[in-house]
Each structure stands twice: as C-alpha cells, then as structure tokens.
Amino acid sequence: MDFFKYIHAVGTGPKGNRDLSFEEAQDMMTQILNQSIPTEQIAAFLLGWRLKPETTEEFQGALAACDKNITKSEVKNSIELGYPFDGKAKNPYIFPLVAKALEKHNLNLVLVGDEKQPAKDGITIKDIITHINLTPNTHYFDRKEFFNKLHNLTDVRNKLGLRSSFSTIEKLSGVAKSEYAITGVFHKPFVKKYAEIYTDRYKHLALIQGNEGTPELFSKGRLWIVNGEDIEEHIIDPEYFDIHYKKSWETITLQDSLDQLNNPSEEYLKLAQLNAAVYLFITQKYNSIEEAFEALH
C-alpha cells in the first residue's frame, strides 16, 4: 500500500485518524524496516502513530514484520531481559552481579544491545558489555548482527529525538527463543498493554517497576506475572530482605557504573541476590521470592 495512506491514518487529528489493521501494520513496518520510503515519511509516521495512539493489533502486526527479519539463536533454560535502548542515566547496571549469583542455579540471562536510541542520554547495555567480562550464563545479542534493519534506523530515530512506538516493541525481541521474559514498566497502565502484546510469545511474561524502566529492582516496587488473561501482582520491598541500598538521583558516568560493578558494596551484592531471586521465581525454579533468596545464601 502507498505509505502516505498510513501517514494519513495517524496524522490527520482525532476526527480523521483511524487504527490500522494487523495486515496494514505489518505492511507499514515492513516498509519502514526496508527503508523503501523517505526518512521524512518514517519520522512523520512514528510521531503520528504514538500520538494517535497505538493499538494492540497494530503492535502485533508490527512485531510480525519484525519477526521475519530477526535471526534467532536458541538459548535453552533462559530468561530474556528487556532493557530500554536509551540506557540508564542515574544508577549503575546490576545484571552482571545477578548473572554471577545465578551461575550455580542453571539459569541463563539473555540481553540485547545496540547503539543508543532516543530519548534519554543514558549508559547502554552495549556500553557495559564492551567493558566487562561476561559469565558463561550471560548471553549477549547485538542487534546490528541479528536484526540489522532495525539497527539501521538508529540515525532516523536519533534525528527525530523522541520516544516512538519502537520503544515498546523493541524491548523483547525473542532472539533466544526464551520461554521466560521480564521487562520494566514505569506505570501500571502499561502492564495490560505489554501483557496483550507479548503474553503469547512466552511461557511466562513478567513486568516490574524497575529502576529507570529496566528489569532491575532497586527499591520497593511491584512485580506482575502474566498467565494468559490473569495478571498476578506481587509487592517487593528490599528492606523486607534486610537490604538498605540507596539508589542515586544524580547522573553518573560509565566509569562510575563500572566501578560499582567491579567493587560492589555489601548492600549492592545483596540487591543483586534479590534480583536473582526474582528471576528464579519467574522461571518457576522456586515457589516464592523468599525461598529463592534464601537458596542464594
């Protein structure tokens, strides 16, 4: 279909806008990924689509187009961690310490990285991976290698400079064919949206009020586990586990983040164990977070 018809569908205002069908969304995303249309039209559609806003059917159609362009490599007994691609700006990453805590528990962590995307000027997964040694149970996939067409849209997205619908559909790519997945959400209304989009793609999908939109818990928050149409909510408070880590509110550098990983405080190590316990619970290796946390000691 002529791509302008898609721009018209999302860019004419509340009275003129309309939702795309699954097939239209799939075609739209195929044209964007192939960059068979001018970059100005791509940017215009992405802006209008987010403001319309997007529907579950549109997201699912777009994901179907993405699936056709992703080279997958199965990692058995794994959980996919869905991180935002604009990075973390105020706190270090904790996944390397979580992976270390899980080494003896037969669980692989799957992470995906790429160049920084809009809109936060944070430290990315790729920045961290470049500067550390990974444990054997950490599996990193660079999007430039397994989903080059989305990687190639980095320049367009950075010129737009705003969050787009890609920010939602790119966090969980299914690259490792993991049965389990977890991603971060900022607000509770997004839980239902992610559940509708992704629940059929994983045996167990979990959402968490993670630090800076990541699947990393740094303070008291909620964990949601999706089972079909049911969403089970858990409240997790690090203080209940005698963890008193104080998260940062100031911007940190890459070196600051690496220093905390290379020389972690006792509280940071305990926080890593709590995150590891959450992942063990999600992957059904233990009946509760408390039981999993105890097993890590």
Side-chain angles (χ1 to χ4, degrees):
M1 184 181 288
D2 182 352
F3 195 82
F4 183 74
K5 293 183 179 179
Y6 299 139
I7 297 177
H8 188 271
V10 303
T12 55
K15 292 184 178 180
N17 286 349
R18 68 172 180 84
D19 297 333
L20 303 183
S21 68
F22 179 95
E23 291 75 18
E24 286 177 322
Q26 186 173 13
D27 179 56
M28 168 275 295
M29 185 58 66
T30 298
Q31 291 190 53
I32 289 178
L33 291 173
N34 290 338
Q35 296 194 54
S36 56
I37 49 175
T39 56
E40 292 87 350
Q41 289 191 12
I42 294 175
F45 179 83
L46 291 177
L47 182 58
W49 193 23
R50 187 173 183 223
L51 294 175
K52 182 177 68 70
E54 319 93 334
T55 66
T56 297
E57 186 174 10
E58 289 171 340
F59 275 136
Q60 290 173 337
L63 280 169
C66 292
D67 286 339
K68 293 182 178 181
N69 292 279
I70 294 174
T71 302
K72 298 187 179 184
S73 302
E74 185 175 6
V75 177
K76 293 186 179 298
N77 197 27
S78 64
I79 179 170
E80 182 178 355
L81 309 183
Y83 284 84
F85 284 78
D86 57 359
K88 294 182 73 172
K90 296 181 179 179
N91 289 274
Y93 284 91
I94 202 169
F95 72 83
L97 300 178
V98 176
K100 190 172 182 179
L102 290 170
E103 273 194 283
K104 296 180 181 179
H105 289 263
N106 193 30
L107 181 61
N108 293 299
L109 301 186
V110 171
L111 300 101
V112 170
D114 200 345
E115 305 300 330
K116 186 163 50 187
Q117 309 292 331
K120 181 173 58 186
D121 188 23
I123 299 162
T124 67
I125 288 286
K126 188 168 184 174
D127 291 331
I128 297 296
I129 293 292
T130 304
H131 291 87
I132 63 170
N133 294 319
L134 299 178
T135 55
N137 63 331
T138 306
H139 300 263
Y140 171 71
F141 292 84
D142 195 305
R143 197 159 63 185
K144 184 177 181 180
E145 304 299 327
F146 77 87
F147 193 5
N148 186 254
K149 287 185 177 180
L150 184 51
H151 165 79
N152 287 340
L153 288 167
T154 297
D155 185 56
V156 178
R157 295 175 64 184
N158 281 322
K159 284 180 178 177
L160 179 61
L162 301 171
R163 286 178 58 85
S164 69
S165 307
F166 279 123
S167 302
T168 298
I169 62 177
E170 70 185 350
K171 290 173 76 174
L172 294 173
S173 63
V175 62
K177 301 181 181 180
S178 304
E179 288 190 310
Y180 303 93
I182 180 172
T183 190
V185 294
F186 285 105
H187 307 294
K188 190 172 183 177
F190 285 92
V191 173
K192 187 173 184 293
K193 177 182 288 188
Y194 276 102
E196 290 174 343
I197 297 169
Y198 286 108
T199 187
D200 292 338
R201 292 172 167 257
Y202 300 94
K203 180 179 178 180
H204 260 194
L205 171 69
L207 297 309
I208 194 168
Q209 283 180 319
N211 182 246
E212 299 189 52
T214 71
E216 299 183 344
L217 184 77
F218 274 43
S219 56
K220 185 178 180 179
R222 287 176 169 81
L223 169 72
W224 296 272
I225 297 180
V226 182
N227 293 298
E229 296 183 357
D230 296 326
I231 300 177
E232 183 180 287
E233 181 178 298
H234 304 263
I235 296 176
I236 310 173
D237 188 352
E239 291 194 5
Y240 174 83
F241 297 88
D242 195 28
I243 301 170
H244 305 283
Y245 179 81
K246 300 298 182 183
K247 66 180 182 179
S248 170
W249 297 98
E250 304 294 331
T251 301
I252 66 171
T253 66
L254 173 59
Q255 190 57 54
D256 291 333
S257 188
L258 294 171
D259 286 345
Q260 290 203 51
L261 286 174
N262 292 326
N263 299 288
S265 65
E266 181 179 347
E267 294 302 310
Y268 203 50
L269 285 172
K270 288 163 63 177
L271 188 64
Q273 290 176 329
L274 177 57
N275 278 270
V278 170
Y279 297 168
L280 288 171
F281 173 60
I282 294 167
T283 54
Q284 302 176 293
K285 293 185 180 296
Y286 290 91
N287 294 321
S288 69
I289 296 171
E290 291 82 1
E291 182 183 343
F293 186 76
E294 184 65 29
L296 288 164
H297 287 73

